[in-house]
Amino acid sequence: MSMLKGKTVLIVDDSKIIRKALRQTFERLGLTVAGEAINGVEALSFLNANKVDLVSLDIIMPEMDGVECYQEILKAEFP
């Protein structure tokens, strides 16, 4: 767990309850939650403006699902 301490994460999920649970879990593990998004479109916008170490993606979301978002992240070659 120490290797996660201080890392930043973006939570992407359309469920507010799941985002809250993930936030609590990540913070307990020592991660800093840099932001939250409700779909892949919001996630890509966030990633264009902010650097994070990890992205937690839900698979099924409106507008752009997690698989599509992951493919876009790979294309953009975010650091």
Side-chain angles (χ1 to χ4, degrees), residues 4 6-8 13 23-24 26 33 37-39 43-44 55 57 60-62 68 72 76 78:
L4 296 176
K7 300 284 185 186
T8 57
D13 199 298
R23 175 181 284 274
Q24 291 171 344
F26 290 142
V33 177
I38 62 168
N39 59 47
L44 292 174
V55 179
L57 284 169
I60 301 171
M61 298 180 288
E68 292 171 303
E72 292 301 313
F78 289 104

Side-chain angles (χ1 to χ4, degrees), residues 37-53:
I38 62 168
N39 59 47
V41 174
E42 281 190 13
L44 292 174
S45 178
F46 184 91
L47 291 171
N48 278 315
N50 303 277
K51 180 187 177 303
V52 298
D53 298 304

Side-chain angles (χ1 to χ4, degrees):
M1 280 193 268
S2 63
M3 64 186 244
L4 296 176
K5 192 167 182 79
K7 300 284 185 186
T8 57
V9 62
L10 171 63
I11 298 171
V12 187
D13 199 298
D14 56 325
S15 168
K16 185 176 184 176
I17 293 168
I18 298 298
R19 288 194 314 271
K20 182 178 179 181
L22 287 170
R23 175 181 284 274
Q24 291 171 344
T25 300
F26 290 142
E27 288 175 346
R28 266 193 307 256
L29 292 171
L31 290 153
T32 299
V33 177
E36 297 180 7
I38 62 168
N39 59 47
V41 174
E42 281 190 13
L44 292 174
S45 178
F46 184 91
L47 291 171
N48 278 315
N50 303 277
K51 180 187 177 303
V52 298
D53 298 304
L54 304 166
V55 179
S56 170
L57 284 169
D58 184 15
I59 298 297
I60 301 171
M61 298 180 288
E63 291 188 57
M64 180 186 287
D65 66 33
V67 174
E68 292 171 303
C69 184
Y70 177 70
Q71 291 168 341
E72 292 301 313
I73 289 170
L74 290 177
K75 286 181 196 173
E77 298 182 26
F78 289 104

